[in-house]
């Protein structure tokens, strides 16, 4: 019996999503760019899905561009904004704890001569708005700040930044991959111009996402070829996965988002209570706050190797992570923990990330806490 507690990496597809995708594969297999009945039928499915997804963030359907996921959306937003607006300035602001699909395009832009300011974070994984205000200048053309962190769950002040940029030339991009499906999102209320998401974080399929781009914000396509996606992204659209993505979003009402947040916060307290009852020494990386992304829980067990703990939990039937799945195969330490606690902190090599999902139960958390307690105690005795 295996228990999955790595939902920040990916989530299992909902049965309703699988059913919708199976129907699409069997019936609506046409190319949505074709003008015959099969193509028109597929195009209608795509249009309906785009409408559903646009409504979920308070956007117009024409402002959504389907992508292969958030990585492509982030790369498109960052690189194409920088290249198309560099006559206005060559300064960009981001944070030290962004996903690699943001940080690596930033590194490329630095090599091209752009100046990038990486805002530091405190030990809660939060940026300072004073630091942001100090960094913003007349040369700033792009700000990219994630909505919620994938390793800590810290919820960054997107609306406050949006207010600050309302009268500024800089375009505002947010990677909302972890927050989408958990937090209510309205692009106008938040003041964002660009927003990236991926379907597989909310019980949808892998390999599909979208980039929201405000209607009057134009730049050349990153993907060159045909004229799909209103000439903004070449390549035949993945209609089956797009339909599954829309179905996954239909399953999550605003009330369901709030209910999940409350349930996940309860799981955090349940684990902490169990560890304290067993007198197991631990600390929370970041904080436990109701307004965080509560599906992510990062714990430090002093003196216990991340690798050893993760491996032993896996052998016991519990899937957790040592950090971002996108860097799990790397020997590099977590850049998020490093930014929060410093490169010399023992937390970097002694922490695990537990992340909950819609199918996680209180019984599973009880069983996990019992096993976690035993493994940590045993590893400390060695």
């Amino acid at each position: 019996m295996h228990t999955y507690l790595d939902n920040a990496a990916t989530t299992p597809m909902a049965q309703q999503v699988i059913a919708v995708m199976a129907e699409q594969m069997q019936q609506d297999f046409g190319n949505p760019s074709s003008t015959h009945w099969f193509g028109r039928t597929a195009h209608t499915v795509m249009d309906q899905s785009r409408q559903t997804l646009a409504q979920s963030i308070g956007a117009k359907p024409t402002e959504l561009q389907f992508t292969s996921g958030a990585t492509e959306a982030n790369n498109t937003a960052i690189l194409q904004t920088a290249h198309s607006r560099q006559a206005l300035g060559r300064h960009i602001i981001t944070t030290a704890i962004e996903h690699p699909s943001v940080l690596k395009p930033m590194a490329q832009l630095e090599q091209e001569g752009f100046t990038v300011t990486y805002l530091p974070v405190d030990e809660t994984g939060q940026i300072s708005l004073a630091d942001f205000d100090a960094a913003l200048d007349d040369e700033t053309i792009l700000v990219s700040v994630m909505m919620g962190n994938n390793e800590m769950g810290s919820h960054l002040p997107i609306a406050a930044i949006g207010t600050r940029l309302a009268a500024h030339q800089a375009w505002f991009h947010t990677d909302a991959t972890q927050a989408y499906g958990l937090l209510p999102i309205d692009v106008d209320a938040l003041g964002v111009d660009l927003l990236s998401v991926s379907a597989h974080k909310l019980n949808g399929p892998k390999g599909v996402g979208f980039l929201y781009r405000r209607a009057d914000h134009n730049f050349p396509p990153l993907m060159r070829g045909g004229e799909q996606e209103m000439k903004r992204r070449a390549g035949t659209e993945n209609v089956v996965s797009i339909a599954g993505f829309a179905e996954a979003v239909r399953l999550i009402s605003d009330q369901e988002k709030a209910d999940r947040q409350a349930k996940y916060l309860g799981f955090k307290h349940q684990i902490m209570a169990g560890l304290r009852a067993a007198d197991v020494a631990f600390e929370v990386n970041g904080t436990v706050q109701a307004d965080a992304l509560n599906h992510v829980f990062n714990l430090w067990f002093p003196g216990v190797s991340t690798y050893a703990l993760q491996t032993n939990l896996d052998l016991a039937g519990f899937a957790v992570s040592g950090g971002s799945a996108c860097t799990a195969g790397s020997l590099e330490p977590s850049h998020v923990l490093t930014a929060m606690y410093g490169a010399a902190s023992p937390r970097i090599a002694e922490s695990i990330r537990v992340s909950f999902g819609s199918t996680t139960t209180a019984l599973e958390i009880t069983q996990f806490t019992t096993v976690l307690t035993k493994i940590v105690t045993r590893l400390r005795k060695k």
Side-chain angles (χ1 to χ4, degrees), residues 17 20-21 49 52-53 66 180 197-200 202 204-205 208-210 239-250:
V17 171
V20 165
M21 293 178 67
S49 299
T52 296
L53 295 167
F66 289 119
Y180 187 57
V197 303
S198 206
H200 73 106
L202 62 153
V208 66
F210 69 71
V239 181
V240 170
S241 292
I242 288 169
F245 188 6
E247 181 64 18
V249 169
R250 291 187 192 101

Side-chain angles (χ1 to χ4, degrees), residues 3-11 310 319-323 325 353-356:
T3 299
Y4 186 70
L5 295 172
D6 195 20
N7 288 272
T10 195
T11 56
Q310 186 180 350
V320 301
S321 165
R353 180 186 70 178
V354 183
S355 48
F356 319 116

Side-chain angles (χ1 to χ4, degrees), residues 13 32 42 47 69 90 142 167 172 178 182-183 206 211 248 277 331:
M13 279 202 290
D47 284 346
R90 291 169 67 84
L142 174 65
F172 185 20
Q178 291 292 336
L182 278 177
L183 301 179
K206 299 176 184 66
L211 171 64
L331 296 177

